Amino acid sequence: MADLSTALAAIDAANAADPTLEDGKPAALLYGERMTAELTALYPDASEVLQIASRGQHIERWLLPRKDYPEGKAGYYAWRKEQGRRHGERVAGIMADAGYDAEAQTRVGVLLRKEGIKKDDEVQALEDVICFTFIRWYLQGFAATRSDDDLAKIVAKTARKMSAEARARALQEFPMPDALAVSFTG
């Protein structure tokens, strides 16, 4: 029988090995906890597969550093695609160990690779959770290191990834200057 708590605990155990600390915790572990909190707020009736995908979104991400790929967009996209593949494979293995069937294991890979974004409700829900986590916990840090133009581009790209409902909710939850808020109204 499949056990959600076993799967989540295994993801947390894997992410507890992250050598990078944030707020005194392994960064990947903290990120997974933040993803779960955002998922619970946005989609309280999320399926177990979506709950697992949210928690495992960055599982062991530090094992494949961005610096191992070429600079620029092509290198970034190649790195991101490989991360999605690795995350899907790793989380599917954890799900197998926790008693989930092959269909659920395949489905979590679809979610973590973001296959069908804007078409698949669960893939879109995961993307909305990712964006909310970024805005709530990481955008301020990015803003401090980016020009106003770069920040506006980052916010616009984030908004484009979100569903219309999530964009509307983001405007309600996050105070933004008009120059950034405009990305969420279109």
Side-chain angles (χ1 to χ4, degrees), residues 9 11 19 26 29 36 52 95 97 106 125 132 155 158 166 175 182:
I11 292 168
L29 178 64
T36 294
I52 292 167
M95 290 176 73
D97 291 345
T106 298
F132 263 68
V155 169
T158 300
V182 71

Side-chain angles (χ1 to χ4, degrees), residues 150-164:
D150 285 346
L151 181 60
K153 289 176 187 174
I154 290 167
V155 169
K157 285 179 186 178
T158 300
R160 278 194 303 271
K161 294 176 186 179
M162 298 168 77
S163 66

Side-chain angles (χ1 to χ4, degrees), residues 103-174:
E103 183 179 339
Q105 294 168 47
T106 298
R107 182 71 179 145
V108 83
V110 167
L111 296 178
L112 290 170
R113 290 185 303 273
K114 300 179 188 167
E115 296 172 0
I117 193 165
K118 300 286 185 187
K119 297 174 188 163
D120 180 310
D121 289 343
E122 280 194 314
V123 174
Q124 187 59 55
L126 179 60
E127 188 64 36
D128 289 346
V129 170
I130 293 164
C131 292
F132 263 68
T133 302
F134 172 70
I135 294 167
R136 187 177 314 279
W137 296 102
Y138 303 97
L139 180 58
Q140 187 174 4
F142 271 86
T145 63
R146 302 296 196 280
S147 70
D148 289 347
D149 285 345
D150 285 346
L151 181 60
K153 289 176 187 174
I154 290 167
V155 169
K157 285 179 186 178
T158 300
R160 278 194 303 271
K161 294 176 186 179
M162 298 168 77
S163 66
E165 298 82 11
R167 285 193 308 272
R169 186 164 175 170
L171 283 173
Q172 293 172 352
E173 287 194 31
F174 304 112

